[in-house]
Amino acid sequence: MQELLMIPGPVTVSSDVLAACSKPMRNHRGPFAAGVYARLAERLKDVFQTSETVLTLGSSGTGAMEASIVNLFSPGDRLLALPMGAFGDRHIAIARAYGAQVEVIDTEWGDKPDPQRLRDRLARDRAGEIKGVIVTHNETSTGVQADLAALARARADHPALLIVDAVSSLGATDVRMDEWGLDAVIGASQKALGGVPGVAMIALSRRAWDAAERAQMPRFYLDLRKAKTAFGKGQTPWTPPFGVLLALEQATDNYSKEGRHSAFARHARFAEAIRAGCAALGLRIFARQGAYSNTVTAVCAPGDIDHKALQQLLRERYGVVVGGGQMKLEGTILRLGNMGAIGRKDIVTALAALELALRDSGIEVPSGAGTAAANAVFARAEAAKPRVAVG
Ligand code: PMP
């Protein structure tokens, strides 16, 4: 059975992206490769909404998270983190592994950080001891999106560098790196841009590049100065995952043809349809209202249902693959992603399968309610589209 991949990354990729990774191998230091790096970097500037160089690293997203720490800070530096789930905690763990002192402003999982708490904490740091602020834009483990623009405003004129994990938001929602004054923005190939896994992306602000010259944390493979110097020569410092880069070049090409705003609207509409469908099936949306992600929806089934068994049933009986809970949410939620080359029919299919799997698990669900609710969202979106006058 062909599986329908509805996890929040890696995502289903389009056939032209898949074909791009199977092209003949080329010299990664030759003129063809230099053209690929240059074109890809140009398109990524647009995605990051920055005039700075966007570097690609041969690693998963976590590599760029690590790069954002080791390139900008020194052991003993004080950092402030605003985690709201498993990936925020991972960023803290990386910083601590390299000797940073990380103070945490906690947010309950399912909710988003309060920008006022960031503003207040930084206002009390008159001596400017806090060197960096770490935020997760979209917390994939809980299905929550932070208000990045508000967090950036809350940093105000404090000198701390603002580090943003935008792995599961970049491409799906607004990330205005330059306008909002973000100092490090991190992405990954296998999420909303619709590439295959294996490449991380990172861009640094001018201030962050200055910090990279002073930073004392150990680094070698992830030394962004090496990556930038190589980029200037049409190269990468190490052998890159070339097929993954070709796939990403195709994916970003498709993305720019679709247009940023249309991609944002698509993700918002798909996530809304999934939320509406799940709610109509009696599932609770884990994220608080107003904190919804537009790339991943975490849901809780009623009663004391075993979510791992439900996930297994969905996969084995209906061919629909969704994510489970991570860390302290293990076994308590399902996560449905809506990034990548999927469409309305896939979302409706996933909701129909969910209805069946819930019923198989002994839960009474109204027949067809999930798909009807999702279709109502699609119909509303369709009706709201501006009509072109004919005749
Ligand atoms: N941050 C977020 C928000 C993520 O969703 C992920 C991947 N799910 C990561 C970081 C880590 O990326 P990777 O698995 O590619 O290392």
Side-chain angles (χ1 to χ4, degrees):
M1 171 164 44
Q2 165 102 40
E3 285 183 339
L4 171 58
L5 192 61
M6 295 286 291
I7 59 172
V11 299
T12 299
V13 300
S14 58
S15 51
D16 54 358
V17 169
L18 213 49
C21 12
S22 59
K23 284 189 180 155
M25 200 37 64
R26 305 291 292 250
N27 175 8
H28 68 298
R29 302 211 181 279
F32 176 83
V36 172
Y37 306 146
R39 280 191 301 278
L40 179 56
E42 230 13 75
R43 296 209 185 102
L44 288 175
K45 272 187 176 179
D46 206 42
V47 174
F48 281 63
Q49 301 186 58
T50 185
S51 59
E52 297 294 336
T53 305
V54 182
L55 297 167
T56 48
L57 311 175
S59 76
S60 78
T62 305
M65 292 167 86
E66 186 156 331
S68 75
I69 301 295
V70 297
N71 283 279
L72 304 186
F73 304 109
S74 301
D77 273 358
R78 298 185 76 90
L79 306 181
L80 184 62
L82 291 94
M84 49 171 172
F87 292 102
D89 284 353
R90 183 183 298 181
H91 222 153
I92 294 171
I94 294 169
R96 287 189 174 142
Y98 283 97
Q101 294 182 55
V102 187
E103 181 182 325
V104 175
I105 295 182
D106 251 324
T107 297
E108 199 183 328
W109 288 26
D111 209 346
K112 59 183 179 182
D114 177 359
Q116 191 57 42
R117 290 179 68 197
L118 174 61
R119 188 184 296 278
D120 292 346
R121 179 63 190 92
L122 292 178
R124 280 193 283 116
D125 181 37
R126 294 211 180 76
E129 283 181 347
I130 297 170
K131 302 288 183 228
V133 173
I134 303 173
V135 300
T136 317
H137 186 194
N138 187 80
E139 182 47 79
T140 321
S141 66
T142 58
V144 167
Q145 187 175 305
D147 186 345
L148 184 55
L151 289 168
R153 279 195 301 276
R155 194 262 315 256
D157 54 3
H158 189 283
L161 297 172
L162 185 54
I163 316 298
V164 181
D165 170 354
V167 168
S168 62
S169 57
L170 207 64
T173 194
D174 228 356
V175 179
R176 302 186 192 180
M177 176 164 170
D178 290 359
E179 189 184 322
W180 295 344
L182 314 177
D183 293 298
V185 176
I186 297 155
S189 53
Q190 79 277 20
K191 302 280 186 183
L193 293 177
V196 301
V199 164
M201 303 155 241
I202 185 164
L204 299 186
S205 68
R206 191 74 56 81
R207 277 169 7 111
W209 278 114
D210 291 343
E213 294 301 328
R214 300 187 302 268
Q216 295 297 318
M217 280 186 186
R219 56 197 138 141
F220 190 88
Y221 185 77
L222 294 174
D223 189 336
L224 295 178
R225 294 168 301 180
K226 291 187 173 79
K228 195 181 187 190
T229 304
F231 179 78
K233 299 177 186 160
Q235 304 226 351
T236 53
W238 335 113
T239 309
F242 200 68
V244 179
L245 284 177
L246 289 176
L248 188 59
E249 187 196 6
Q250 181 64 53
T252 51
D253 196 19
N254 297 347
Y255 185 83
S256 62
K257 282 191 187 117
E258 178 182 11
R260 192 195 299 148
H261 294 289
S262 154
F264 295 167
R266 165 169 57 90
H267 285 93
R269 186 167 71 246
F270 284 8
E272 189 188 345
I274 291 175
R275 284 195 303 274
C278 288
L281 290 173
L283 302 170
R284 183 172 71 80
I285 310 297
F286 185 76
R288 294 264 169 82
Q289 201 174 0
Y292 297 145
S293 158
N294 67 356
T295 56
V296 51
T297 304
V299 290
C300 314
D304 55 359
I305 193 156
D306 177 348
H307 285 76
K308 278 193 182 160
L310 184 61
Q311 187 187 10
Q312 190 179 350
L313 203 57
L314 272 170
R315 185 182 70 245
E316 290 179 354
R317 198 170 289 174
Y318 302 107
V320 173
V321 183
V322 302
Q326 291 161 296
M327 312 295 279
K328 64 183 179 195
L329 293 177
E330 199 181 336
T332 66
I333 56 167
L334 293 182
R335 292 176 308 132
L336 285 83
N338 59 265
M339 297 173 275
I342 58 164
R344 174 177 175 170
K345 87 172 181 327
D346 300 306
I347 288 170
V348 171
T349 302
L351 289 166
L354 189 55
E355 175 184 327
L356 295 172
L358 285 167
R359 202 166 293 133
D360 294 346
S361 313
I363 296 178
E364 275 302 310
V365 281
S367 184
T371 52
N375 277 323
V377 170
F378 288 122
R380 257 202 321 275
E382 202 57 41
K385 268 195 196 156
R387 302 254 166 241
V388 180
V390 180

